[in-house]
Amino acid sequence: MDSFKEIVNYISNPTILFTTVVLVFPFIFPPSDWFEKWHRRLGLHHLWGTKFIVIAMLGMVAFFMYGLGDYNFQKIVLKPDNVPISGLIFLVAFFTWLAMNQAYKNDERLNAGEKPNEYFEAPNDKVLVWPDLVYVELISLIIASAFLLVWSIGLPAPIEEPANPTESPNPAKAPWYFLGLQEMLVYFDPWMAGVVIPSLILVGLMAIPYIDRNPENSGFFSYNRRRLAISVFMFGWLVLWLMLIIVGTFLRGPNWNIFGPFEYWDIHKLEALTNINVSEIIYIKWLNKGLPDSIIIREIWGISILLGYFLILPPLLAKTFLKDMYARLGSVRYSVFIVLILIAITLPIKMYLRWMFNLKYIIAIPEYFFNF
Amino acid sequence: MAEQTKKSFLEKAAESQVWKSIFRGGGVPRNRRQRMMSVLNSVFLHLHPVRLPKHAVKLKFTWCMGGLSFFIFLILTISGILLMFYYRPTIEYAYTDIIDLAEQVPFGIMRELHRWGAHAMVITVWLHMFRVFMTGSYKPPREFNWTVGVILLLLTLMLSFTGYLLPWDQLAIWAITVGSNMARAAPFLGHEGPGASLLAIGDINFITMASDARFALIGGRFMGEAALLRFYVLHCIGLPFIIMIFMSIHFWRVRKDGGISTPV
Ligand code: HEM
């Protein structure tokens, strides 16, 4: 059994975990015909069948039960403020399944030329709010209250030592719903991870209905006819949002090092941290001379890379891969969309640059606190 | 006479003057007309339309997550008010008041209800957003209501965040320190943010440690009394007030945009 724990610890390392998830993801939520073909061939559509969710839930329960027998796992999972995140894992798994299950059923109906399950014939198919809705609401309220009461009686709210501004805990963690942002601090400076990216997440969310605005296929669960939109959203929400929170909560230990769920939180665990900037790679490693004095000359490479990424890549894509999309969205919507997507993609890009080349900043101008 | 004896206690009560004065119209809703009137005549229920497409009342479709978010918000308001009876937002008392709450108040689970409720609300709001996305319900004409929803999401997180500081224990201040240190790096507005040094006349910087975004947030250069008071006021009055305004807009727009979205 110890080897099982070791395997879990090993694959919990973000390099492996994240790579696996990124590779598997488009086959689970196929964004295009090609992936759709393989999705079917690999039998992944069975994920949204009834059998699978039962197996998955049982498997997850079994894993947690088994894990709770382990001291290190128990310590991190049973920390009172982490309990909701375990709940979140189950809830998100269940509701993703519930949405996709209904979506696939509707897809089949639509393909067969039928109306979606939610379709109704006005006005005959309308029901009265009293009693049909008020009862559903009442029952939901009672279940929710009971659930909260049991939770509150069973699990005391945490209270630690009185605040002491001079003695910082190791690790010092933000509240769990912000741990995805804190996780980004590993790869970005605070002005990006803490200010610009959160703002752009909000702007990006708000922009969704102004970019994907075809009122068709709304009002019912469906996948196939909206697959690109859903695939992109799911990647942002499941991988960049929830998975980073789970990594930040369960896997980050002292000195913000990665620890597997069954690993002892060793304060002395050392990780080589000699990260370098693009300018250092170019001037010191390749050209074998010192960094130039002028900031502009020093950073011109990083600046060019970023300018290319944000100014040349979008029109290039508009002419090639995303031609159809450009025609559909028009220039303003396309620009907003592509810039938001490109910024979102800088996160995985910076993760891999860090893991592969120990790259710290593409542009590093600490003189003006401008590091990217 | 025979008919009279069949009437249940509830039905009799429903015909009394008191009942009729409280529930406009009176009577127990039995037939179609009465049922419709019972929705129209109630200030709470008339948030709803009288009739709905049948999928809109199905748990499988809405997951009831928006409704639960609102319900949990109400629970948080009530338990929060009760907590305010005991809690004083000063460095001297905050921590000990929380300890007292656990030790002195019989059957005290208000703090638990409030804390776990807050976590639960973040989760229900996320799941609600997820459901709205998956049913494509953000598409026209509901695009603005989706935007209002995003603001509600932000406000929910901020309510949770400001509340996190109040117990004034190690967990609280360090979590908030990590969070509010970000403000220090805000572009232009934080004293360690890119561009802040541009906001200067000659040698005089406008954005310093004592005037930047972080200073505004925690009311000082360090986590202390002022931060606690600011977070307390925002948590108990400022943010609930704002979120209630946006919730009203949200609910009103659900109705005005044609109710729960339906297939065309
Ligand atoms: C405090 C947080 C929120 C509360 C209390 C709330 C409440 C509600 C309620 C009660 C409904 C009716 C239908 C349902 O229950 O699904 C609804 C619908 C809706 N909500 Fe929210 N909501 C919140 C946050 C959000 C967020 C974060 C979003 C999106 C980003 C959002 C977008 C919408 C949209 C577009 C609808 C219309 C759905 C439809 O027509 O099917 N809401 N909301």
Side-chain angles (χ1 to χ4, degrees):
Chain A
M1 268 334 219
D2 274 354
S3 58
F4 174 71
K5 289 185 186 175
E6 256 157 44
I7 295 173
V8 173
N9 283 343
Y10 183 71
I11 57 175
S12 303
N13 195 302
T15 43
I16 296 170
L17 188 65
F18 194 79
T19 310
T20 318
V21 171
V22 169
L23 291 180
V24 171
F25 186 87
F27 293 96
I28 297 185
F29 297 101
S32 68
D33 278 336
W34 189 84
F35 285 110
E36 176 96 39
K37 197 176 74 196
W38 281 99
H39 172 76
R40 299 270 163 191
R41 260 191 216 168
L42 294 170
L44 288 172
H45 56 288
H46 293 302
L47 287 180
W48 315 124
T50 313
K51 255 187 239 141
F52 182 76
I53 187 67
V54 177
I55 299 173
M57 284 288 161
L58 288 179
M60 278 160 63
V61 171
F63 177 77
F64 268 82
M65 300 286 261
Y66 167 74
L68 288 178
D70 180 274
Y71 173 76
N72 296 308
F73 188 90
Q74 197 183 40
K75 210 169 142 204
I76 180 80
V77 170
L78 288 191
K79 212 165 166 258
D81 272 344
N82 289 350
V83 170
I85 308 164
S86 306
L88 180 75
I89 296 177
F90 284 88
L91 285 173
V92 167
F94 175 73
F95 281 108
T96 306
W97 172 83
L98 185 61
M100 292 303 284
N101 175 278
Q102 299 184 68
Y104 271 43
K105 283 184 189 153
N106 274 341
D107 283 351
E108 271 167 30
R109 297 174 74 105
L110 292 176
N111 289 342
E114 295 168 36
K115 298 278 184 191
N117 195 20
E118 286 87 343
Y119 184 78
F120 71 105
E121 211 118 358
N124 302 340
D125 273 358
K126 284 205 166 184
V127 294
L128 288 181
V129 161
W130 183 298
D132 291 86
L133 180 60
V134 283
Y135 281 155
V136 174
E137 285 176 344
L138 185 70
I139 292 167
S140 309
L141 300 195
I142 291 172
I143 293 176
S145 316
F147 179 78
L148 272 181
L149 274 177
V150 171
W151 187 3
S152 302
I153 293 169
L155 186 69
I159 182 93
E160 295 190 351
E161 302 287 296
N164 180 352
T166 55
E167 190 194 319
S168 90
N170 187 7
K173 289 192 182 181
W176 61 267
Y177 34 81
F178 288 149
L179 282 184
L181 303 178
Q182 199 174 354
E183 184 61 24
M184 280 194 265
L185 277 177
V186 177
Y187 309 99
F188 285 109
D189 258 21
W191 70 275
M192 277 297 288
V195 187
V196 175
I197 293 183
S199 315
L200 287 179
I201 293 174
L202 293 174
V203 172
L205 281 174
M206 289 182 188
I208 289 176
Y210 300 93
I211 291 170
D212 173 22
R213 64 210 165 101
N214 180 356
E216 260 170 51
N217 302 315
S218 69
F220 61 97
F221 289 99
S222 68
Y223 185 81
N224 203 289
R225 284 161 178 73
R226 298 176 53 216
R227 63 187 174 192
L228 184 63
I230 295 184
S231 186
V232 172
F233 181 85
M234 287 301 225
F235 189 79
W237 151 256
L238 288 180
V239 182
L240 296 183
W241 188 321
L242 296 179
M243 203 176 92
L244 286 191
I245 287 182
I246 291 165
V247 169
T249 314
F250 291 138
L251 305 181
R252 287 289 179 187
N255 306 325
W256 215 249
N257 282 328
I258 284 286
F259 293 84
F262 299 109
E263 197 175 338
Y264 171 68
W265 276 21
D266 182 1
I267 310 185
H268 304 293
K269 178 171 175 172
L270 278 186
E271 230 138 82
L273 282 177
T274 40
N275 297 328
I276 47 175
N277 303 328
V278 166
S279 53
E280 289 164 339
I281 294 179
I282 290 180
Y283 289 107
I284 299 177
K285 256 182 137 174
W286 293 353
L287 301 177
N288 262 324
K289 53 184 191 180
L291 287 178
D293 288 334
S294 151
I295 294 179
I296 298 284
I297 298 181
R298 188 184 77 203
E299 297 306 329
I300 191 75
W301 308 101
I303 295 175
S304 327
I305 293 175
L306 277 198
L307 285 182
Y309 184 71
F310 283 112
L311 293 183
I312 299 178
L313 202 52
L316 218 60
L317 286 172
K319 288 245 154 68
T320 52
F321 286 115
L322 302 179
K323 213 166 163 182
D324 295 345
M325 180 182 280
Y326 182 76
R328 209 168 51 233
L329 293 182
S331 56
V332 175
R333 288 197 169 84
Y334 173 81
S335 314
V336 173
F337 171 75
I338 205 75
V339 167
L340 287 170
I341 291 288
L342 286 180
I343 291 176
I345 298 179
T346 54
L347 175 63
I349 292 182
K350 280 208 78 176
M351 288 167 130
Y352 281 104
L353 289 177
R354 172 71 55 84
W355 296 335
M356 298 194 321
F357 309 112
N358 284 329
L359 184 92
K360 191 155 190 217
Y361 297 123
I362 297 171
I363 301 179
I365 313 181
E367 293 87 341
Y368 294 100
F369 300 112
F370 188 92
N371 301 315
F372 185 88
Chain B
M1 278 311 271
E3 255 196 352
Q4 286 250 315
T5 47
K6 268 191 207 153
K7 278 197 176 161
S8 67
F9 174 72
L10 185 69
E11 276 168 309
K12 270 192 228 152
E15 276 163 20
S16 68
Q17 185 190 0
V18 176
W19 181 292
K20 276 186 181 163
S21 69
I22 299 174
F23 302 103
R24 296 189 66 231
V28 179
R30 284 264 184 263
N31 60 33
R32 193 176 167 83
R33 203 190 102 81
Q34 285 167 336
R35 285 172 169 173
M36 292 167 99
M37 290 316 279
S38 65
V39 173
L40 284 176
N41 274 332
S42 155
V43 66
F44 300 110
L45 289 181
H46 99 281
L47 265 177
H48 297 306
V50 171
R51 295 181 310 143
L52 280 173
K54 66 179 188 308
H55 75 274
V57 304
K58 286 216 180 102
L59 267 183
K60 222 167 80 177
F61 184 73
T62 64
W63 308 347
C64 207
M65 279 302 160
L68 281 182
S69 307
F70 181 54
F71 177 64
I72 296 178
F73 176 76
L74 293 181
I75 293 186
L76 289 173
T77 313
I78 296 168
S79 53
I81 290 173
L82 292 175
L83 288 175
M84 284 171 80
F85 290 157
Y86 294 92
Y87 174 86
R88 287 163 289 179
T90 61
I91 292 185
E92 198 182 348
Y93 294 122
Y95 181 76
T96 49
D97 283 350
I98 296 284
I99 297 280
D100 273 0
L101 205 59
E103 288 179 357
Q104 311 293 341
V105 183
F107 302 114
I109 57 162
M110 276 310 134
R111 184 161 171 249
E112 278 72 18
L113 261 188
H114 200 73
R115 193 177 188 99
W116 304 139
H119 286 327
M121 182 169 164
V122 172
I123 295 176
T124 54
V125 172
W126 285 0
L127 290 175
H128 171 59
M129 177 179 87
F130 177 48
R131 171 320 261 176
V132 171
F133 185 87
M134 289 303 284
T135 55
S137 305
Y138 55 84
K139 298 181 172 205
R142 295 182 179 76
E143 62 265 58
F144 182 68
N145 213 16
W146 168 272
T147 309
V148 173
V150 176
I151 296 171
L152 283 173
L153 170 73
L154 171 69
L155 289 169
T156 307
L157 292 177
M158 295 208 343
L159 270 166
S160 222
F161 183 69
T162 48
Y164 216 84
L165 180 66
L166 303 184
W168 204 250
D169 62 345
Q170 280 291 71
L171 195 60
I173 72 156
W174 286 101
I176 304 304
T177 306
V178 171
S180 56
N181 274 350
M182 305 284 164
R184 177 147 69 189
F188 297 106
L189 296 178
H191 77 277
E192 285 179 7
S197 50
L198 299 177
L199 298 181
I201 298 182
D203 276 349
I204 305 166
N205 275 326
F206 287 123
I207 303 295
T208 65
M209 211 180 164
S211 68
D212 67 348
R214 180 169 178 274
F215 188 91
L217 185 67
I218 66 173
R221 284 183 291 171
F222 307 102
M223 270 298 178
E225 191 86 49
L228 184 56
L229 186 60
R230 264 172 209 218
F231 275 54
Y232 176 76
V233 172
L234 284 177
H235 185 73
C236 300
I237 299 177
L239 294 169
F241 176 69
I242 300 173
I243 204 172
M244 260 148 57
I245 294 177
F246 277 96
M247 279 189 186
S248 319
I249 303 176
H250 196 61
F251 300 156
W252 182 75
R253 280 303 290 252
V254 172
R255 288 290 303 277
K256 289 288 161 182
D257 294 341
I260 295 293
S261 59
T262 52
V264 270

